[in-house]
Amino acid sequence: MEILLLLFVPLSGGILLALFGNHRLAAELNSIISFLTLINAGFLTARIISYGPIVAFHEQFFVDPFNIFLVTLTALVAFTTSLFSRPYMRIEQHHGKLTENRLRLYHCMYQLFTFTMLLALLTNNMGILWVAMEAATLTTVLLVSLYRTPASLEAAWKYFIICGVGIAQALFGTILLYFAAEKLLGIHSSLLWTHLDKIKDRLDPTVMSVAFVFLLIGYGTKVGLAPMHNWLPDAHAEGPTPISAVLSGLLLNVALYAVVRCKILTDGALHSHFAGNLMIGFGLLSLIVAVFSLSHQKDIKRLFGYSSIEHMGLITFAFGMGGPIANFAGLLHMTVHSLTKSAIFFTVGHAAQKTRTQVMENIRGLLIQSPTVGWGLMLGSLAILGMPPFGVFASEFLILTTAMKQQPWATPLLLMALAVAFAAIFGKVQPMVFGETTAQRTPRPPALLPIFVHLSLVLMLGLFIPMYLANWYREAASLIGY
Amino acid sequence: MIPLSGQLLNLLAAVFLLIAFAMLAQRRILSLIHLYAYQGLVLSLSTLIVAYSTHQPHLYYSMLLNFLLKVLIVPWILHRLIHRLNVQWDVETLLNIPTTMLIGLALVIFAFNLSLPIVQLAGTINRSTLGIALASVLLSFLMMITRSKAVPQVIGFLALENSLIFAATSITYGMPMMVELGIALDVLVGVFILGVFFFHIRNQFDSLELKHMEKLKDN
């Protein structure tokens, strides 16, 4: 019941906003719907805590410790982002970048996007997972091109074509998976993950290894893994900032979730480290490509887009290593990266509005005009760069120490990548925050609450992880296996 | 001795591959849409034969769905689109067609090799067509890479999806109905969204040439 309600709220909200999305209070309505989704997610979480994993509706949906924390995270970040987008989009409208009709499109698609992500997380059917991932691309294409500038149209086209082709590979992988399972499970249940999980050691290894390659490349395109990452910085830079925040903070996580689900099945079928090794390779490559692209960025949103590729690479690397500690670290890093990166995009959005530019050379001295936005950007950057006491430090530390034990050859590469990222991002953020200012007042006060809620959550996760959360992570980590 | 239905399926698969090659070489947008509709028709026919010879009732629905969507609705939308965009007589200057064809041939050989181990495990009557389906997937990729206009690139994308469904019917007897419905919905919504998108692109750039859209770079 909770599952149905959780999916119904954003879906009906999307339809409602398609009708009234240009109303004066549409932004408030958007926040309220997101808040309802968050409450539903809370109820579902409470139920999972007290009753354990559930399977519902002819086994079409299921919830276990691995997806429930992503559901809560998705609902939370979708809600805080809707709070941020309320003043942000009004200022954009004030600056003449948007018409009322486009605002309606924006609000409607925002809710539908949340719906597709929740569906992808909650479904038990690997086919529906694919359908939901494709739908998530479709709902965001028109959002990336919302400003209708030449650059944004180009970014949206690239996003559609690259992700569309990528996800087509994942469909082929899903077909192969179905083929491997059909003989064992019959037509009706052979794409249901809970059934697949039970018989995974009897799936044909040859087919599964081919299937996993297609699935990894397919969903990996959406994770932003190199060399299929080209769409990501463009889409992040040219779309409206709330969309950059949810793309980076949520969609990448959901795509990675799909990869990890497939990895569990492949590991079971192959009894080898094939899937893990592939993920280690793609993860490291993305990490290194991303950090070396950071230093010559001029656009602030592109900079943090590349930073997202870097972190997704790191998480993929962690899941590739496998084992309880690396998986734990990967899950923790998913959480803290999502919270930190969306907080950074909130501050970046307001900074870009105050200076009317996204070019970093022209953003100067944020601290003088608005201490909160300035400190938000500074603290957010320090957090994402892995400075203690923030949560990113904890997860990166765990990943590094596990790497020393399991993949010692990769440790110097990881350390070098983190150092390069630090030099590049800190060197660019510092002059933007301090010094003579180029910022002006915006017609409306910025939304500061979401930024500091996110950063304090990240700080808390760095200092202390609540008992039930740690338990979830541990259970999910053991589900993912080696 | 292969039964008649198996022979028919092999014939249809060969036609399917031929259409994929024809799309690769076709310069006129209007003819491309016709080819896409033919490809949909071949797909529906082969699904029908599989459904008839294996008595899988859900395949009839799948056949109906494919026929409606890929032979009638999507080609009709594309026709309307190119009329409204006034590009129906556009002729594309392609890169060297013979070279493209040779690359296509190499892709077909690669696809047949890749599908060998999988085909041996398949128990379906039309398992030999998996290689063709995979070859068509790769040919559609090649078509998307070589095109310089927006509409043909999208037709390449749709042909890619056709080939994937063809692969699904050839190694298994189609995906579960709910998944097929979901995929069909995605295709339909995708075509609508792209239709809107084409108008945005043309309003902004005054053409649907993709060379205007290669400006975003790292610096």
Side-chain angles (χ1 to χ4, degrees):
Chain A
M1 196 58 220
E2 284 92 345
I3 297 180
L4 212 57
L5 207 61
L6 180 59
L7 290 172
F8 176 74
V9 168
L11 181 62
S12 55
I15 296 165
L16 196 68
L17 284 166
L19 301 171
F20 306 107
N22 50 0
H23 190 272
R24 203 161 39 85
L25 294 174
E28 281 76 11
L29 186 61
N30 192 30
S31 298
I32 291 170
I33 296 168
S34 302
F35 184 61
L36 286 178
T37 313
L38 178 62
I39 289 186
N40 279 324
F43 277 126
L44 185 65
T45 312
R47 184 165 161 174
I48 300 301
I49 290 179
S50 42
Y51 297 103
I54 51 171
V55 180
F57 297 101
H58 307 289
E59 307 185 307
Q60 288 302 322
F61 295 104
F62 88 123
V63 191
D64 67 1
F66 182 25
N67 60 12
I68 187 63
F69 98 89
L70 280 171
V71 167
T72 322
L73 185 67
T74 303
L76 175 71
V77 176
F79 170 59
T80 48
T81 307
S82 76
L83 287 182
F84 158 72
S85 103
R86 199 171 61 91
Y88 181 85
M89 292 315 266
R90 289 211 168 118
I91 297 171
E92 293 290 276
Q93 205 181 358
H94 190 89
H95 286 177
K97 285 182 162 181
L98 287 168
T99 58
E100 287 209 331
N101 264 331
R102 284 191 220 162
L103 211 57
R104 182 165 73 174
L105 176 78
Y106 166 80
H107 283 133
C108 166
M109 288 300 177
Y110 186 86
Q111 288 301 328
L112 291 181
F113 178 53
T114 317
F115 166 73
T116 55
M117 283 191 296
L118 290 173
L119 179 65
L121 289 173
L122 288 169
T123 184
N124 191 14
N125 189 322
M126 298 301 280
I128 299 296
L129 172 65
W130 184 87
V131 171
M133 289 302 299
E134 170 77 2
T137 314
L138 293 175
T139 48
T140 39
V141 165
L142 290 181
L143 290 182
V144 170
S145 67
L146 196 71
Y147 295 140
R148 309 276 161 82
T149 56
S152 71
L153 283 172
E154 182 188 334
W157 182 260
K158 236 182 185 175
Y159 175 47
F160 177 82
I161 291 294
I162 297 180
C163 281
V165 168
I167 208 109
Q169 318 244 1
L171 179 59
F172 191 69
T174 312
I175 292 171
L176 287 177
L177 174 66
Y178 177 67
F179 166 64
E182 193 216 308
K183 279 170 283 180
L184 302 167
L185 290 171
I187 293 178
H188 294 291
S189 51
S190 52
L191 276 176
L192 297 182
W193 196 86
T194 41
H195 288 243
L196 287 167
D197 190 40
K198 277 184 203 129
I199 54 123
K200 61 186 175 191
D201 51 345
R202 287 192 290 149
L203 294 170
D204 183 81
T206 332
V207 180
M208 282 308 288
S209 51
V210 179
F212 183 74
V213 172
F214 278 98
L215 287 163
L216 176 64
I217 302 228
Y219 291 130
T221 310
K222 290 216 83 161
V223 182
L225 295 182
M228 301 86 74
H229 66 284
N230 282 333
W231 63 273
L232 193 144
D234 294 343
H236 281 61
E238 303 305 330
T241 309
I243 295 307
S244 318
V246 283
L247 279 181
S248 220
L250 302 179
L251 182 68
L252 305 185
N253 273 354
V254 177
L256 191 59
Y257 162 84
V259 173
V260 173
R261 284 274 184 223
C262 301
K263 174 185 183 270
I264 299 175
L265 297 178
T266 317
D267 279 345
L270 264 64
H271 304 290
S272 74
H273 217 270
F274 170 74
N277 286 341
L278 269 181
M279 284 174 77
I280 287 179
F282 274 104
L284 266 186
L285 182 67
S286 316
L287 179 69
I288 288 164
V289 167
V291 293
F292 282 105
S293 309
L294 284 171
S295 60
H296 55 261
Q297 297 306 316
K298 297 210 162 58
D299 184 307
I300 184 164
K301 280 163 82 181
R302 282 185 85 86
L303 179 79
F304 285 109
Y306 273 106
S307 156
S308 291
I309 301 177
E310 173 209 338
H311 286 275
M312 282 298 142
L314 195 61
I315 303 171
T316 313
F317 175 80
F319 285 129
M321 284 195 297
I325 302 173
N327 287 338
F328 184 96
L331 295 167
L332 181 63
H333 202 81
M334 265 172 133
T335 318
V336 288
H337 170 256
S338 162
L339 291 168
T340 318
K341 191 50 68 62
S342 38
I344 290 178
F345 272 114
F346 300 160
T347 58
V348 164
H350 282 308
Q353 280 183 331
K354 284 179 184 299
T355 52
R356 297 280 195 115
T357 176
Q358 285 179 205
V359 180
M360 282 184 279
E361 280 172 4
N362 300 331
I363 304 176
R364 287 290 178 260
L366 289 171
L367 211 55
I368 297 175
Q369 210 284 318
S370 166
T372 37
V373 170
W375 279 117
L377 182 59
M378 198 60 195
L379 290 175
S381 306
L382 286 175
I384 206 74
L385 289 168
M387 289 293 108
F390 290 103
V392 184
F393 172 75
S395 54
E396 284 184 352
F397 184 75
L398 281 175
I399 294 175
L400 270 174
T401 45
T402 325
M404 281 178 205
K405 234 177 281 160
Q406 298 187 7
Q407 313 282 345
W409 58 273
T411 332
L413 289 174
L414 290 177
L415 281 171
M416 178 208 64
L418 293 177
V420 171
F422 185 87
I425 294 185
F426 194 76
K428 286 179 195 295
V429 167
Q430 197 253 348
M432 282 194 281
V433 174
F434 300 104
E436 287 289 309
T437 188
T438 55
Q440 293 155 0
R441 282 184 72 82
T442 39
R444 281 165 194 279
L448 298 167
L449 185 68
I451 304 173
F452 290 97
V453 168
H454 280 199
L455 288 180
S456 43
L457 279 175
V458 174
L459 185 62
M460 184 198 81
L461 286 174
L463 298 171
F464 155 78
I465 300 176
M467 202 52 201
Y468 62 91
L469 199 61
N471 278 339
W472 271 351
Y473 284 151
R474 237 172 261 136
E475 275 176 48
S478 68
L479 270 177
I480 300 168
Y482 66 97
Chain B
M1 182 70 193
I2 312 169
L4 182 66
S5 56
Q7 288 185 4
L8 271 176
L9 280 170
N10 280 342
L11 177 70
L12 285 174
V15 176
F16 196 87
L17 186 64
L18 202 61
I19 293 174
F21 267 108
M23 283 174 125
L24 201 57
Q26 182 54 256
R27 299 169 175 211
R28 288 178 53 220
I29 290 181
L30 197 62
S31 316
L32 261 183
I33 296 176
H34 291 158
L35 282 173
Y36 173 73
Y38 293 144
Q39 201 182 35
L41 188 66
V42 172
L43 177 65
S44 322
L45 276 180
S46 67
T47 317
L48 181 68
I49 294 172
V50 177
Y52 179 74
S53 52
T54 59
H55 311 290
Q56 299 271 348
H58 77 276
L59 276 181
Y60 286 108
Y61 298 113
S62 153
M63 180 288 249
L64 206 65
L65 184 71
N66 278 327
F67 184 78
L68 281 177
L69 192 70
K70 286 162 191 166
V71 183
L72 301 176
I73 300 177
V74 171
W76 181 73
I77 295 175
L78 287 172
H79 264 287
R80 288 286 309 263
L81 261 179
I82 61 166
H83 273 278
R84 296 264 307 270
L85 291 164
N86 206 16
V87 293
Q88 68 267 48
W89 307 120
D90 264 25
V91 175
E92 221 177 343
T93 44
L94 289 179
L95 293 169
N96 202 338
I97 291 180
T99 318
T100 320
M101 288 293 168
L102 280 177
I103 299 172
L105 276 180
L107 286 179
V108 174
I109 295 167
F110 172 74
F112 271 83
N113 272 318
L114 185 65
S115 64
L116 267 181
I118 300 168
V119 164
Q120 273 156 8
L121 295 162
T124 48
I125 56 166
N126 48 344
R127 59 185 194 176
S128 51
T129 53
L130 176 69
I132 287 186
L134 194 57
S136 315
V137 170
L138 295 177
L139 288 176
S140 314
F141 269 137
L142 185 61
M143 175 180 164
M144 288 179 77
I145 294 167
T146 53
R147 297 297 166 141
S148 61
K149 290 194 180 185
V151 182
Q153 211 170 53
V154 166
I155 296 177
F157 181 68
L158 290 167
L160 176 65
E161 194 266 347
N162 261 354
S163 319
L164 285 169
I165 300 293
F166 194 71
T169 38
S170 58
I171 52 169
T172 66
Y173 293 129
M175 303 281 269
M177 204 56 217
M178 201 167 56
V179 178
E180 287 216 5
L181 275 175
I183 295 172
L185 184 73
D186 274 348
V187 169
L188 196 61
V189 174
V191 171
F192 269 114
I193 288 181
L194 280 168
V196 176
F197 203 59
F198 284 149
F199 286 98
H200 297 167
I201 293 177
R202 210 200 31 184
N203 286 345
Q204 190 59 245
F205 298 104
D206 286 324
S207 88
L208 288 170
E209 294 274 350
L210 294 174
K211 65 171 188 255
H212 302 295
M213 308 221 288
E214 283 161 12
K215 302 227 165 59
L216 282 179
K217 292 221 176 71
D218 274 345
N219 35 40

